[in-house]
Amino acid sequence: MRTSQFPLNTVKDTPSDAEIASHQLMIRAGLIRKLAAGLYSWLPLGLRVLRKVEKITREEMEKAGALEVLMPALQPAELWQETGRWQHYGPELARLKDRHERDFCLGPTHEEIITDLARHELKSYKQLPITYYQIQTKFRDEIRPRFGVMRSREFIMKDAYSFHLTQESLQETYDVMYSAYNNIFDKLGLNYRAVIADSGSIGGAVSHEFHVLAESGEDAIAFSTGSDYAANVESATALREKQPLPKPTETREKILTPGQKTIAEVSAFLGVAPQKILKTLAIMRTIKDALGEEREVFWLLYLRGDHELNEIKARKLLGDFRFATDDEIESHLKGRAGYIGPPLPESHLIIPWLADWSAIEMTDFVCGANEAGYHFKGCNWFNDFILFDLENFDHSIEHLSEEYKKDIRNVVEGDKSPDGKGEITLARGIEVGHIFQLGTKYSEAMKAGIINEGGKYQTMIMGCYGIGISRVVAAAIEQNHDAHGIVWPNNIAPFQVAICPMNMHKSERLKEAAEQLYADLVAAGFDVLFDDRKVRAGFMFADMELIGIPHYLIVGDRGLDAGTVEYKDRTASDNEVIPLADIVEFLKAKLV
RNA sequence: CGGAGCGUAGCGCAGCUUGGUAGCGCACUUGUCUGGGGGACAAGGGGUCGCAGGUUCAAAUCCUGUCGUUCCGACCA
């Protein structure tokens, strides 16, 4: 391709609404243009990248035995009503009516559609297992679209769905997909991690996310230094070591802590490490009473001061809850927000509670005194507070019912890996893929079954496997860029090689040499961008670096006298001089 | 949905406080010079100042409404 016929549309100014590097660079390099909030057009240069990501994905899906289909983006409400998601999905489902006032939505995902397809097309166990996939535009009416195509309202996704008779068969396909995903991200040339994930609202048991590692990632992921354990922080756990607890040595003492409300403030004020301060959270938990009526109950959660509550874990144990308001804290605990702690026996307050196990193992700790401006220090659970664990006759923390000590916190750097090998470290990741074992959630609701070997009707078991194609492009940039622009991995660069002739319009023999080089490289099968614009060298280099071409060749009169061209790697600071005759072989070696 | 900004040339912005001829940089067009890291000079084209209403002799500027958009929060494959 020649730049004279392939406008680069690069811009010098950074758009004011682009916060992260990939968004800024995608605009600056002329990959995308914004149409409206969360809606982007792909320019020719950007589309070349997108297509390469699609191509790699498609190749690996085919290798994994998946069959490509294409399902409508516009979907009838009836199918969504069958699974109940028409009601449950919330406002991010883009709903609309047709001219006959019938309800439709723009598909954010295609479980309903594929399940409908499968129940009509699959009749016999002999057709199973089977995996369908598509590369389709999805819609999600995000509350706040941002970061360019990273979180947009319309995006391109590869989604695959598998159908099975048995859990074993699902596991087999899941494993095939797991390795297909590894192959895809390997080929894309990205630094990524497969992590154990929470399966979220889609449902199902086993689930892995694939994250591209990048500082700006929206997700925190935890992985072990000593094993291949990796999990989203939402579901990462730490090893709970059984070790003898230190005996209490202090007695409770009330101390004045005016204006010190947060853990950080109390820690600094008293000169006590956050690990020695109890964090007490007050929530209103929604429960169903004996009559099946829903009501809210005041509840306390205890965490170590340096730990954060993991709401997903807590909700799994407690169901739905919200944080209590200051007024609710005062009325239930007779305490003041910012100074709350476990109630003393003499308060005669019976308040249900749950602690993170690490909080229960604290001794001689600091906590709020349930009185504005005061904390306690030297606290110990059984010495000072009512734990109302009636079965626990010897009143020891070790024998406290497990019901009270659960895992409800986020892991932190330095925690022991749950497999006992190594320690947890944290990194930021961009979720670009997610695979689930769905089970029968959709097939049951939609009566998608087949006749099994025994001649009996059986509901199919499903798996689903997604890759955010357009997000991958942004993630690749987020991970691979420098001060000059994008640094594309070889396999997804819009062009592999750029030819930059110096003052070509002034030298006929240079023009001939550059044209010949271009013809040779194209013939050798490279994606080549020939910069035949009449622009100055600096301008040309700046453009090539901004759009991230990984390899470029500088053709000048100087080198031509010696029969050479200069080669520059996008990431290298110096040029290499290569004999013109060797250049095809040289590049082949670089691009394998 | 709550809070806070911003809408002026294709892009980035100034002008608004204190009402009176529509401005700057980049980009674009033409020419001359220049020619290995976004070059210089000269000339030029391009605007319903988001939209509607109001105040005024006069509104980009003041007032009201409205639409769009961005950021923070809540929410979320």
Side-chain angles (χ1 to χ4, degrees):
Chain A
M1 201 61 73
R2 293 160 190 271
T3 48
S4 58
Q5 289 151 39
F6 192 96
L8 291 179
N9 303 316
T10 52
V11 288
K12 252 195 271 188
D13 287 316
T14 302
S16 58
D17 59 349
E19 294 173 86
I20 59 170
S22 63
H23 187 191
Q24 293 172 354
L25 288 171
M26 286 182 84
I27 301 288
R28 289 225 291 133
L31 271 61
I32 55 168
R33 288 290 181 257
K34 184 166 84 167
L35 177 66
L39 300 175
Y40 292 86
S41 297
W42 289 81
L43 298 179
L45 191 68
L47 189 61
R48 287 181 70 94
V49 180
L50 194 71
R51 290 290 184 239
K52 288 193 176 185
V53 176
E54 286 181 3
K55 182 165 175 278
I56 288 170
T57 305
R58 193 171 267 124
E59 282 167 4
E60 292 302 318
M61 282 297 112
E62 297 289 330
K63 263 190 221 166
L67 305 171
E68 186 163 11
V69 294
L70 185 58
M71 295 179 277
L74 186 63
Q75 308 176 357
E78 284 79 7
L79 294 179
W80 287 75
Q81 283 157 351
E82 270 192 68
T83 59
R85 287 211 291 182
W86 186 258
Q87 288 75 29
H88 290 126
Y89 214 96
E92 71 179 35
L93 181 63
R95 296 158 216 255
L96 53 99
K97 285 184 192 294
D98 71 3
R99 63 168 66 192
H100 307 294
E101 289 290 302
R102 289 171 27 134
D103 286 313
F104 285 84
C105 65
L106 292 170
T109 172
H110 280 73
E111 280 86 6
E112 279 80 1
I113 315 306
I114 195 71
T115 307
D116 180 66
L117 194 69
R119 70 181 166 183
H120 289 114
E121 304 307 321
L122 302 176
K123 310 245 164 28
S124 159
Y125 72 94
K126 291 175 191 165
Q127 294 167 301
L128 300 187
I130 192 166
T131 305
Y132 295 112
Y133 80 99
Q134 67 170 347
I135 293 177
Q136 236 293 23
T137 298
K138 310 281 188 191
F139 301 85
R140 226 161 269 181
D141 196 357
E142 292 281 351
I143 300 172
R144 193 145 84 81
R146 55 184 136 175
F147 307 143
V149 298
M150 193 80 86
R151 180 169 292 271
S152 50
R153 289 196 289 182
E154 180 179 318
F155 55 97
I156 295 171
M157 187 161 159
K158 185 285 299 178
D159 49 330
Y161 306 89
S162 65
F163 295 87
H164 312 268
L165 211 54
T166 64
Q167 174 62 33
E168 292 68 38
S169 167
L170 171 60
Q171 186 64 47
E172 266 174 43
T173 298
Y174 188 86
D175 292 343
V176 167
M177 283 293 159
Y178 183 91
S179 60
Y181 270 46
N182 280 296
N183 293 341
I184 289 168
F185 294 115
D186 283 341
K187 277 198 180 174
L188 292 171
L190 299 175
N191 182 14
Y192 69 97
R193 280 277 185 157
V195 308
I196 300 164
D198 183 78
S199 47
S201 56
I202 292 192
V206 182
S207 162
H208 283 87
E209 289 169 354
F210 287 77
H211 285 263
V212 168
L213 301 185
E215 281 299 315
S216 60
E218 288 190 271
D219 287 295
I221 61 177
F223 53 91
S224 168
T225 53
S227 71
D228 59 3
Y229 176 79
N232 193 309
V233 163
E234 288 177 353
S235 51
T237 56
L239 182 70
R240 183 174 168 187
E241 289 176 295
K242 296 280 183 196
Q243 54 188 10
L245 300 176
K247 292 278 174 255
T249 58
E250 300 177 11
T251 52
R252 194 181 76 227
E253 185 185 342
K254 189 158 135 186
I255 46 176
L256 190 61
T257 53
Q260 315 298 315
K261 294 186 171 186
T262 65
I263 296 287
E265 286 165 356
V266 174
S267 170
F269 184 77
L270 297 177
V272 171
Q275 290 92 305
K276 299 291 286 180
I277 303 173
L278 184 74
K279 181 188 280 187
T280 305
L281 301 173
I283 59 166
M284 299 302 290
R285 180 185 173 193
T286 304
I287 60 159
K288 276 195 176 152
D289 63 18
L291 299 171
E293 301 269 322
E294 279 194 359
R295 61 192 179 90
E296 288 189 317
V297 179
F298 187 78
W299 207 279
L300 290 176
L301 302 178
Y302 300 123
L303 291 158
R304 221 169 68 185
D306 58 326
H307 290 154
E308 278 180 9
L309 178 68
N310 180 313
E311 292 194 34
I312 291 174
K313 291 179 184 175
R315 272 176 225 283
K316 276 186 183 159
L317 294 165
L318 298 172
D320 196 29
F321 64 81
R322 61 177 174 83
F323 289 102
T325 63
D326 289 359
D327 287 345
E328 284 164 343
I329 288 172
E330 291 196 28
S331 66
H332 287 94
L333 193 59
K334 315 283 182 270
R336 289 296 278 274
Y339 302 96
I340 66 173
L344 295 175
E346 51 268 39
S347 71
H348 302 295
L349 290 170
I350 307 287
I351 296 172
W353 59 281
L354 177 67
D356 186 75
W357 56 263
S358 59
I360 278 297
E361 292 182 351
M362 293 166 75
T363 52
D364 300 331
F365 56 84
V366 169
C367 66
N370 288 325
E371 186 179 337
Y374 290 96
H375 280 77
F376 291 132
K377 68 172 191 178
C379 296
N380 287 285
W381 286 106
F382 271 101
N383 296 356
D384 300 301
F385 307 112
I386 326 167
L387 300 183
F388 51 88
D389 183 7
L390 300 177
E391 309 294 317
N392 186 6
F393 299 113
D394 63 354
H395 279 212
S396 73
I397 288 295
E398 283 85 350
H399 294 122
L400 180 69
S401 166
E402 290 295 322
E403 286 306 300
Y404 292 105
K405 34 186 179 183
K406 297 286 191 183
D407 174 19
I408 57 169
R409 69 175 172 95
N410 286 333
V411 293
V412 294
E413 199 108 9
D415 275 338
K416 296 276 182 294
S417 175
D419 55 16
K421 298 174 202 154
E423 290 189 348
I424 296 282
T425 55
L426 298 176
R428 304 298 298 179
I430 300 165
E431 186 190 349
V432 289
H434 203 159
I435 58 178
F436 302 86
Q437 295 191 8
L438 283 180
T440 56
K441 177 171 172 174
Y442 298 94
S443 49
E444 195 160 309
M446 297 182 67
K447 301 186 174 54
I450 40 92
I451 305 303
N452 68 17
E453 210 165 354
K456 290 220 171 71
Y457 176 88
Q458 188 181 332
T459 301
M460 289 186 282
I461 301 171
M462 293 172 61
C464 106
Y465 320 89
I467 290 180
I469 301 284
S470 40
R471 180 180 278 190
V472 163
V473 177
I477 296 171
E478 207 55 53
Q479 189 178 77
N480 301 284
H481 68 272
D482 63 15
H484 301 290
I486 302 167
V487 185
W488 289 115
N490 282 329
N491 287 345
I492 56 174
F495 297 95
Q496 297 168 302
V497 188
I499 298 172
C500 303
M502 296 293 99
N503 299 313
M504 184 170 73
H505 63 286
K506 281 217 171 159
S507 164
E508 191 57 34
R509 73 163 184 154
L510 201 144
K511 182 172 164 56
E512 277 170 27
E515 288 284 357
Q516 187 59 51
L517 180 60
Y518 176 54
D520 290 347
L521 293 182
V522 169
F526 296 115
D527 272 338
V528 189
L529 184 63
F530 179 17
D531 200 346
D532 59 348
R533 295 174 298 179
K534 189 181 164 185
V535 294
R536 300 170 72 89
F539 194 92
M540 198 180 272
F541 296 149
D543 258 0
M544 292 303 130
E545 283 169 348
L546 177 58
I547 68 175
I549 309 301
H551 309 276
Y552 49 103
L553 300 173
I554 302 158
V555 193
D557 272 313
R558 279 185 227 159
L560 226 47
D561 292 335
T564 61
V565 293
E566 289 163 61
Y567 162 82
K568 187 167 183 306
D569 184 281
R570 174 65 178 77
T571 56
S573 50
D574 296 317
N575 297 358
E576 274 180 72
V577 176
I578 310 293
L580 202 45
D582 300 347
I583 202 69
V584 169
E585 288 310 310
F586 178 83
L587 284 176
K588 273 188 180 161
K590 292 275 179 191
L591 284 163
V592 164

